[in-house]
Amino acid sequence: MNSASTTAIKFDFEVDEMVDSAREATDFLKSIAHEGRLMILCRLAEGECAVTDLEELLSARQAAVSQQLARLRLEGIVDARREGKSVYYSLSDDRIQTIIPVLYDMFCKPD
């Protein structure tokens, strides 16, 4: 019976780790689960980009793009750099460089 108790405790510990990992993954996926944010991240995966270029990419007003960029900054996914009157964004989370090619292969790659 002692052996079963030890196994149960070990199992509970692994479940706790799994729950923590699932929560972290869910939070990360929520942060990118928006059409506009995903398009921004796909563009930034190619390199740094000015806000004005992102506005053109999304065919959206500056306020809408800024709202999405603010969410990505809050989540620690992008960094901003100001040069004169322009603001440039780049990726700051290496997980994006890993997931964007996977998403491209799954949803964008020509057959």
Side-chain angles (χ1 to χ4, degrees), residues 61-95:
R61 294 188 334 250
Q62 187 269 336
V65 174
S66 291
Q67 181 180 15
Q68 300 310 324
L69 289 167
R71 169 74 187 268
L72 294 170
R73 272 193 325 271
L74 179 69
E75 299 290 338
I77 293 174
V78 299
D79 283 327
R81 172 180 74 80
R82 182 174 292 279
E83 187 175 296
K85 292 183 179 182
S86 298
V87 179
Y88 294 87
Y89 281 86
S90 60
L91 296 177
S92 60
D93 188 326
D94 292 336
R95 296 176 299 180

mmCIF file of all heavy atoms in Angstrom, residues 61-95:
data_model
loop_
_atom_site.group_PDB
_atom_site.id
_atom_site.type_symbol
_atom_site.label_atom_id
_atom_site.label_comp_id
_atom_site.label_asym_id
_atom_site.label_seq_id
_atom_site.Cartn_x
_atom_site.Cartn_y
_atom_site.Cartn_z
ATOM 1 N N ARG A 61 -6.698 51.332 -39.539
ATOM 2 C CA ARG A 61 -6.301 52.630 -38.987
ATOM 3 C C ARG A 61 -5.238 52.429 -37.911
ATOM 4 O O ARG A 61 -5.127 51.364 -37.302
ATOM 5 C CB ARG A 61 -7.511 53.341 -38.398
ATOM 6 C CG ARG A 61 -8.540 53.726 -39.444
ATOM 7 C CD ARG A 61 -9.643 54.599 -38.865
ATOM 8 N NE ARG A 61 -9.869 54.427 -37.444
ATOM 9 C CZ ARG A 61 -10.938 53.862 -36.912
ATOM 10 N NH1 ARG A 61 -11.890 53.404 -37.672
ATOM 11 N NH2 ARG A 61 -11.067 53.756 -35.602
ATOM 12 N N GLN A 62 -4.511 53.482 -37.661
ATOM 13 C CA GLN A 62 -3.418 53.457 -36.679
ATOM 14 C C GLN A 62 -3.918 53.028 -35.312
ATOM 15 O O GLN A 62 -3.262 52.246 -34.624
ATOM 16 C CB GLN A 62 -2.753 54.839 -36.630
ATOM 17 C CG GLN A 62 -1.505 54.904 -35.780
ATOM 18 C CD GLN A 62 -1.794 55.278 -34.338
ATOM 19 O OE1 GLN A 62 -2.814 55.899 -34.046
ATOM 20 N NE2 GLN A 62 -0.922 54.874 -33.441
ATOM 21 N N ALA A 63 -5.091 53.488 -34.913
ATOM 22 C CA ALA A 63 -5.617 53.157 -33.576
ATOM 23 C C ALA A 63 -5.849 51.654 -33.430
ATOM 24 O O ALA A 63 -5.541 51.066 -32.384
ATOM 25 C CB ALA A 63 -6.903 53.923 -33.314
ATOM 26 N N ALA A 64 -6.368 51.019 -34.478
ATOM 27 C CA ALA A 64 -6.632 49.578 -34.413
ATOM 28 C C ALA A 64 -5.333 48.786 -34.334
ATOM 29 O O ALA A 64 -5.222 47.823 -33.564
ATOM 30 C CB ALA A 64 -7.452 49.146 -35.627
ATOM 31 N N VAL A 65 -4.351 49.191 -35.134
ATOM 32 C CA VAL A 65 -3.052 48.503 -35.120
ATOM 33 C C VAL A 65 -2.373 48.713 -33.774
ATOM 34 O O VAL A 65 -1.819 47.774 -33.192
ATOM 35 C CB VAL A 65 -2.161 48.996 -36.286
ATOM 36 C CG1 VAL A 65 -0.764 48.401 -36.196
ATOM 37 C CG2 VAL A 65 -2.807 48.656 -37.622
ATOM 38 N N SER A 66 -2.430 49.926 -33.272
ATOM 39 C CA SER A 66 -1.816 50.229 -31.976
ATOM 40 C C SER A 66 -2.426 49.407 -30.850
ATOM 41 O O SER A 66 -1.726 48.981 -29.933
ATOM 42 C CB SER A 66 -1.940 51.716 -31.656
ATOM 43 O OG SER A 66 -1.123 52.459 -32.528
ATOM 44 N N GLN A 67 -3.725 49.169 -30.927
ATOM 45 C CA GLN A 67 -4.392 48.358 -29.907
ATOM 46 C C GLN A 67 -3.835 46.933 -29.919
ATOM 47 O O GLN A 67 -3.561 46.356 -28.861
ATOM 48 C CB GLN A 67 -5.896 48.343 -30.153
ATOM 49 C CG GLN A 67 -6.661 47.539 -29.125
ATOM 50 C CD GLN A 67 -8.159 47.532 -29.401
ATOM 51 O OE1 GLN A 67 -8.609 47.890 -30.496
ATOM 52 N NE2 GLN A 67 -8.924 47.124 -28.417
ATOM 53 N N GLN A 68 -3.652 46.368 -31.097
ATOM 54 C CA GLN A 68 -3.108 45.012 -31.193
ATOM 55 C C GLN A 68 -1.651 44.969 -30.748
ATOM 56 O O GLN A 68 -1.223 44.038 -30.054
ATOM 57 C CB GLN A 68 -3.256 44.471 -32.623
ATOM 58 C CG GLN A 68 -4.679 44.397 -33.109
ATOM 59 C CD GLN A 68 -5.616 43.692 -32.135
ATOM 60 O OE1 GLN A 68 -5.247 42.735 -31.470
ATOM 61 N NE2 GLN A 68 -6.847 44.176 -32.054
ATOM 62 N N LEU A 69 -0.888 45.975 -31.135
ATOM 63 C CA LEU A 69 0.520 46.038 -30.714
ATOM 64 C C LEU A 69 0.632 46.207 -29.200
ATOM 65 O O LEU A 69 1.529 45.630 -28.577
ATOM 66 C CB LEU A 69 1.243 47.172 -31.440
ATOM 67 C CG LEU A 69 1.493 46.914 -32.925
ATOM 68 C CD1 LEU A 69 1.908 48.202 -33.621
ATOM 69 C CD2 LEU A 69 2.546 45.828 -33.116
ATOM 70 N N ALA A 70 -0.273 46.964 -28.610
ATOM 71 C CA ALA A 70 -0.262 47.147 -27.153
ATOM 72 C C ALA A 70 -0.478 45.815 -26.445
ATOM 73 O O ALA A 70 0.189 45.508 -25.448
ATOM 74 C CB ALA A 70 -1.333 48.154 -26.742
ATOM 75 N N ARG A 71 -1.385 45.006 -26.956
ATOM 76 C CA ARG A 71 -1.623 43.678 -26.366
ATOM 77 C C ARG A 71 -0.375 42.816 -26.478
ATOM 78 O O ARG A 71 0.026 42.136 -25.537
ATOM 79 C CB ARG A 71 -2.818 43.017 -27.060
ATOM 80 C CG ARG A 71 -3.006 41.552 -26.739
ATOM 81 C CD ARG A 71 -3.574 41.324 -25.326
ATOM 82 N NE ARG A 71 -3.605 39.930 -24.963
ATOM 83 C CZ ARG A 71 -4.637 39.106 -25.144
ATOM 84 N NH1 ARG A 71 -5.738 39.540 -25.713
ATOM 85 N NH2 ARG A 71 -4.565 37.856 -24.763
ATOM 86 N N LEU A 72 0.254 42.837 -27.653
ATOM 87 C CA LEU A 72 1.469 42.039 -27.857
ATOM 88 C C LEU A 72 2.615 42.526 -26.976
ATOM 89 O O LEU A 72 3.396 41.725 -26.462
ATOM 90 C CB LEU A 72 1.871 42.056 -29.333
ATOM 91 C CG LEU A 72 0.889 41.355 -30.280
ATOM 92 C CD1 LEU A 72 1.245 41.651 -31.728
ATOM 93 C CD2 LEU A 72 0.859 39.862 -30.017
ATOM 94 N N ARG A 73 2.707 43.841 -26.764
ATOM 95 C CA ARG A 73 3.738 44.390 -25.857
ATOM 96 C C ARG A 73 3.457 43.964 -24.430
ATOM 97 O O ARG A 73 4.359 43.565 -23.699
ATOM 98 C CB ARG A 73 3.767 45.921 -25.928
ATOM 99 C CG ARG A 73 4.657 46.484 -26.993
ATOM 100 C CD ARG A 73 4.912 47.981 -26.823
ATOM 101 N NE ARG A 73 3.813 48.762 -26.302
ATOM 102 C CZ ARG A 73 2.858 49.328 -27.038
ATOM 103 N NH1 ARG A 73 2.859 49.204 -28.339
ATOM 104 N NH2 ARG A 73 1.901 50.021 -26.471
ATOM 105 N N LEU A 74 2.203 44.048 -24.013
ATOM 106 C CA LEU A 74 1.793 43.656 -22.665
ATOM 107 C C LEU A 74 2.158 42.200 -22.388
ATOM 108 O O LEU A 74 2.582 41.846 -21.291
ATOM 109 C CB LEU A 74 0.295 43.879 -22.488
ATOM 110 C CG LEU A 74 -0.306 43.503 -21.147
ATOM 111 C CD1 LEU A 74 0.186 44.456 -20.063
ATOM 112 C CD2 LEU A 74 -1.821 43.536 -21.219
ATOM 113 N N GLU A 75 2.007 41.350 -23.385
ATOM 114 C CA GLU A 75 2.309 39.928 -23.254
ATOM 115 C C GLU A 75 3.806 39.640 -23.382
ATOM 116 O O GLU A 75 4.230 38.494 -23.229
ATOM 117 C CB GLU A 75 1.542 39.126 -24.312
ATOM 118 C CG GLU A 75 0.036 39.241 -24.209
ATOM 119 C CD GLU A 75 -0.539 38.546 -22.992
ATOM 120 O OE1 GLU A 75 0.118 37.651 -22.441
ATOM 121 O OE2 GLU A 75 -1.662 38.901 -22.594
ATOM 122 N N GLY A 76 4.612 40.664 -23.684
ATOM 123 C CA GLY A 76 6.058 40.481 -23.817
ATOM 124 C C GLY A 76 6.467 39.805 -25.116
ATOM 125 O O GLY A 76 7.552 39.220 -25.203
ATOM 126 N N ILE A 77 5.620 39.903 -26.126
ATOM 127 C CA ILE A 77 5.880 39.225 -27.395
ATOM 128 C C ILE A 77 6.625 40.116 -28.379
ATOM 129 O O ILE A 77 7.393 39.628 -29.202
ATOM 130 C CB ILE A 77 4.549 38.712 -27.992
ATOM 131 C CG1 ILE A 77 3.999 37.609 -27.073
ATOM 132 C CG2 ILE A 77 4.723 38.207 -29.410
ATOM 133 C CD1 ILE A 77 2.634 37.120 -27.445
ATOM 134 N N VAL A 78 6.396 41.430 -28.299
ATOM 135 C CA VAL A 78 7.087 42.361 -29.184
ATOM 136 C C VAL A 78 7.749 43.470 -28.378
ATOM 137 O O VAL A 78 7.355 43.761 -27.248
ATOM 138 C CB VAL A 78 6.138 42.982 -30.242
ATOM 139 C CG1 VAL A 78 5.536 41.924 -31.147
ATOM 140 C CG2 VAL A 78 5.061 43.830 -29.603
ATOM 141 N N ASP A 79 8.757 44.071 -29.005
ATOM 142 C CA ASP A 79 9.438 45.243 -28.464
ATOM 143 C C ASP A 79 9.249 46.398 -29.430
ATOM 144 O O ASP A 79 9.137 46.183 -30.647
ATOM 145 C CB ASP A 79 10.940 44.991 -28.310
ATOM 146 C CG ASP A 79 11.275 44.147 -27.100
ATOM 147 O OD1 ASP A 79 10.565 44.248 -26.081
ATOM 148 O OD2 ASP A 79 12.252 43.389 -27.172
ATOM 149 N N ALA A 80 9.252 47.614 -28.888
ATOM 150 C CA ALA A 80 9.134 48.813 -29.715
ATOM 151 C C ALA A 80 10.411 49.626 -29.613
ATOM 152 O O ALA A 80 11.081 49.631 -28.580
ATOM 153 C CB ALA A 80 7.946 49.650 -29.251
ATOM 154 N N ARG A 81 10.714 50.292 -30.719
ATOM 155 C CA ARG A 81 11.878 51.173 -30.782
ATOM 156 C C ARG A 81 11.458 52.419 -31.542
ATOM 157 O O ARG A 81 10.854 52.327 -32.609
ATOM 158 C CB ARG A 81 13.011 50.448 -31.513
ATOM 159 C CG ARG A 81 14.215 51.277 -31.821
ATOM 160 C CD ARG A 81 15.268 50.463 -32.549
ATOM 161 N NE ARG A 81 14.946 50.192 -33.940
ATOM 162 C CZ ARG A 81 15.108 51.052 -34.948
ATOM 163 N NH1 ARG A 81 15.559 52.268 -34.728
ATOM 164 N NH2 ARG A 81 14.809 50.712 -36.199
ATOM 165 N N ARG A 82 11.756 53.589 -30.961
ATOM 166 C CA ARG A 82 11.393 54.850 -31.612
ATOM 167 C C ARG A 82 12.624 55.420 -32.311
ATOM 168 O O ARG A 82 13.723 55.441 -31.759
ATOM 169 C CB ARG A 82 10.870 55.850 -30.584
ATOM 170 C CG ARG A 82 10.428 57.168 -31.200
ATOM 171 C CD ARG A 82 9.774 58.070 -30.186
ATOM 172 N NE ARG A 82 8.495 57.561 -29.720
ATOM 173 C CZ ARG A 82 7.335 57.682 -30.379
ATOM 174 N NH1 ARG A 82 7.306 58.277 -31.541
ATOM 175 N NH2 ARG A 82 6.220 57.217 -29.868
ATOM 176 N N GLU A 83 12.392 55.872 -33.541
ATOM 177 C CA GLU A 83 13.437 56.547 -34.300
ATOM 178 C C GLU A 83 12.800 57.782 -34.925
ATOM 179 O O GLU A 83 12.047 57.675 -35.895
ATOM 180 C CB GLU A 83 13.997 55.621 -35.381
ATOM 181 C CG GLU A 83 15.205 56.190 -36.092
ATOM 182 C CD GLU A 83 15.798 55.188 -37.066
ATOM 183 O OE1 GLU A 83 16.273 54.129 -36.602
ATOM 184 O OE2 GLU A 83 15.759 55.464 -38.268
ATOM 185 N N GLY A 84 13.087 58.937 -34.341
ATOM 186 C CA GLY A 84 12.419 60.161 -34.788
ATOM 187 C C GLY A 84 10.938 60.057 -34.511
ATOM 188 O O GLY A 84 10.513 59.776 -33.398
ATOM 189 N N LYS A 85 10.136 60.252 -35.560
ATOM 190 C CA LYS A 85 8.680 60.173 -35.413
ATOM 191 C C LYS A 85 8.151 58.766 -35.654
ATOM 192 O O LYS A 85 6.974 58.498 -35.446
ATOM 193 C CB LYS A 85 8.005 61.140 -36.384
ATOM 194 C CG LYS A 85 8.240 62.594 -36.046
ATOM 195 C CD LYS A 85 7.489 63.492 -36.994
ATOM 196 C CE LYS A 85 7.725 64.962 -36.625
ATOM 197 N NZ LYS A 85 6.961 65.855 -37.498
ATOM 198 N N SER A 86 9.001 57.873 -36.100
ATOM 199 C CA SER A 86 8.568 56.511 -36.425
ATOM 200 C C SER A 86 8.790 55.560 -35.257
ATOM 201 O O SER A 86 9.739 55.700 -34.491
ATOM 202 C CB SER A 86 9.342 55.981 -37.631
ATOM 203 O OG SER A 86 9.092 56.771 -38.768
ATOM 204 N N VAL A 87 7.900 54.573 -35.150
ATOM 205 C CA VAL A 87 8.039 53.522 -34.152
ATOM 206 C C VAL A 87 8.179 52.202 -34.906
ATOM 207 O O VAL A 87 7.411 51.915 -35.821
ATOM 208 C CB VAL A 87 6.819 53.463 -33.208
ATOM 209 C CG1 VAL A 87 6.971 52.345 -32.192
ATOM 210 C CG2 VAL A 87 6.619 54.803 -32.506
ATOM 211 N N TYR A 88 9.194 51.439 -34.513
ATOM 212 C CA TYR A 88 9.477 50.160 -35.149
ATOM 213 C C TYR A 88 9.252 49.039 -34.132
ATOM 214 O O TYR A 88 9.598 49.182 -32.964
ATOM 215 C CB TYR A 88 10.926 50.107 -35.640
ATOM 216 C CG TYR A 88 11.191 51.094 -36.752
ATOM 217 C CD1 TYR A 88 11.559 52.401 -36.474
ATOM 218 C CD2 TYR A 88 11.063 50.703 -38.077
ATOM 219 C CE1 TYR A 88 11.792 53.304 -37.493
ATOM 220 C CE2 TYR A 88 11.302 51.598 -39.106
ATOM 221 C CZ TYR A 88 11.657 52.898 -38.811
ATOM 222 O OH TYR A 88 11.890 53.786 -39.824
ATOM 223 N N TYR A 89 8.706 47.945 -34.622
ATOM 224 C CA TYR A 89 8.447 46.793 -33.769
ATOM 225 C C TYR A 89 9.257 45.592 -34.226
ATOM 226 O O TYR A 89 9.523 45.430 -35.410
ATOM 227 C CB TYR A 89 6.953 46.439 -33.763
ATOM 228 C CG TYR A 89 6.172 47.348 -32.854
ATOM 229 C CD1 TYR A 89 5.701 48.568 -33.307
ATOM 230 C CD2 TYR A 89 5.942 46.999 -31.537
ATOM 231 C CE1 TYR A 89 5.001 49.416 -32.465
ATOM 232 C CE2 TYR A 89 5.249 47.842 -30.682
ATOM 233 C CZ TYR A 89 4.786 49.039 -31.158
ATOM 234 O OH TYR A 89 4.106 49.870 -30.310
ATOM 235 N N SER A 90 9.606 44.769 -33.239
ATOM 236 C CA SER A 90 10.310 43.515 -33.522
ATOM 237 C C SER A 90 9.847 42.473 -32.509
ATOM 238 O O SER A 90 9.262 42.805 -31.475
ATOM 239 C CB SER A 90 11.824 43.712 -33.424
ATOM 240 O OG SER A 90 12.178 44.145 -32.127
ATOM 241 N N LEU A 91 10.114 41.221 -32.836
ATOM 242 C CA LEU A 91 9.746 40.128 -31.928
ATOM 243 C C LEU A 91 10.692 40.084 -30.740
ATOM 244 O O LEU A 91 11.890 40.288 -30.891
ATOM 245 C CB LEU A 91 9.796 38.787 -32.660
ATOM 246 C CG LEU A 91 8.811 38.602 -33.796
ATOM 247 C CD1 LEU A 91 9.030 37.252 -34.475
ATOM 248 C CD2 LEU A 91 7.374 38.714 -33.297
ATOM 249 N N SER A 92 10.154 39.792 -29.572
ATOM 250 C CA SER A 92 10.987 39.647 -28.381
ATOM 251 C C SER A 92 10.799 38.278 -27.724
ATOM 252 O O SER A 92 11.441 37.987 -26.725
ATOM 253 C CB SER A 92 10.670 40.759 -27.369
ATOM 254 O OG SER A 92 9.313 40.707 -26.985
ATOM 255 N N ASP A 93 9.927 37.464 -28.293
ATOM 256 C CA ASP A 93 9.641 36.144 -27.732
ATOM 257 C C ASP A 93 10.035 35.083 -28.763
ATOM 258 O O ASP A 93 9.442 35.008 -29.842
ATOM 259 C CB ASP A 93 8.151 36.045 -27.404
ATOM 260 C CG ASP A 93 7.780 34.795 -26.640
ATOM 261 O OD1 ASP A 93 8.406 33.742 -26.875
ATOM 262 O OD2 ASP A 93 6.840 34.859 -25.830
ATOM 263 N N ASP A 94 11.033 34.282 -28.435
ATOM 264 C CA ASP A 94 11.544 33.267 -29.359
ATOM 265 C C ASP A 94 10.499 32.219 -29.732
ATOM 266 O O ASP A 94 10.608 31.573 -30.782
ATOM 267 C CB ASP A 94 12.774 32.570 -28.771
ATOM 268 C CG ASP A 94 13.969 33.497 -28.672
ATOM 269 O OD1 ASP A 94 14.027 34.489 -29.422
ATOM 270 O OD2 ASP A 94 14.855 33.220 -27.838
ATOM 271 N N ARG A 95 9.489 32.051 -28.902
ATOM 272 C CA ARG A 95 8.454 31.059 -29.219
ATOM 273 C C ARG A 95 7.727 31.412 -30.510
ATOM 274 O O ARG A 95 7.280 30.514 -31.238
ATOM 275 C CB ARG A 95 7.456 30.937 -28.063
ATOM 276 C CG ARG A 95 8.080 30.425 -26.781
ATOM 277 C CD ARG A 95 7.102 30.406 -25.642
ATOM 278 N NE ARG A 95 6.623 31.761 -25.362
ATOM 279 C CZ ARG A 95 5.751 32.065 -24.406
ATOM 280 N NH1 ARG A 95 5.245 31.121 -23.643
ATOM 281 N NH2 ARG A 95 5.380 33.305 -24.204
#
